[in-house]
Amino acid sequence: MSSNVGNSQVYEDGDQKNVPRSEIEQEKKDKRFHEGKENSHKANDSKDQRSIANKLAREEKRENESDEESEETKALKKGPTLPAKMHGNKPSRGAEIDAEIQAEEEEELRRKGKA
């Protein structure tokens, strides 16, 4: 007895193909560093369970990176309110207080230098 239910094309496996295992392994290898959250692994964390191979690959990757600072870091060194102003935002109250303290300290140093 054969069933007359459904379309016979549904039961054909013409479009169902298995991906080779080697291709799956290669994809896993390629995605290894793209998983997880940013900065989720600490380099000096003793409880980090990354393999030695992953740690070595990370260090090789870090050697190729440049040590340049971001624009925000450079602006922060010039003045505490500059990063917010660069983005078109009002600086936080803490940044404003830091700017006041910095100005007072610079003025005091100038006075002491002239005295």
Side-chain angles (χ1 to χ4, degrees):
M1 281 189 177
S2 64
S3 173
N4 292 328
V5 178
N7 190 349
S8 64
Q9 292 174 343
V10 172
Y11 302 106
E12 294 179 13
D13 68 340
D15 60 341
Q16 298 178 0
K17 302 291 182 204
N18 290 334
V19 179
R21 194 176 233 29
S22 60
E23 193 173 314
I24 294 172
E25 294 298 322
Q26 185 62 37
E27 283 183 21
K28 284 183 182 177
K29 207 176 212 181
D30 292 341
K31 292 182 180 180
R32 180 170 57 189
F33 291 109
H34 303 292
E35 295 175 349
K37 296 181 179 179
E38 189 72 22
N39 299 321
S40 62
H41 291 287
K42 305 286 187 223
N44 55 1
D45 185 5
S46 62
K47 296 178 185 173
D48 190 357
Q49 297 180 359
R50 287 188 297 171
S51 68
I52 294 174
N54 281 350
K55 290 178 182 178
L56 288 173
R58 180 186 166 277
E59 289 303 319
E60 287 176 10
K61 186 177 173 186
R62 286 194 58 185
E63 287 176 2
N64 297 335
E65 292 177 355
S66 62
D67 293 335
E68 289 186 24
E69 296 177 337
S70 68
E71 293 297 322
E72 289 182 11
T73 307
K74 291 177 186 175
L76 185 60
K77 288 182 179 180
K78 291 179 184 175
T81 59
L82 287 179
K85 290 179 182 177
M86 280 174 40
H87 291 284
N89 298 323
K90 180 183 175 226
S92 67
R93 182 68 186 132
E96 291 172 349
I97 292 172
D98 287 346
E100 290 174 14
I101 292 172
Q102 187 177 12
E104 289 172 4
E105 287 178 352
E106 287 175 1
E107 185 179 327
E108 190 172 327
L109 286 173
R110 276 190 238 124
R111 276 190 302 158
K112 286 183 179 180
K114 291 182 180 179

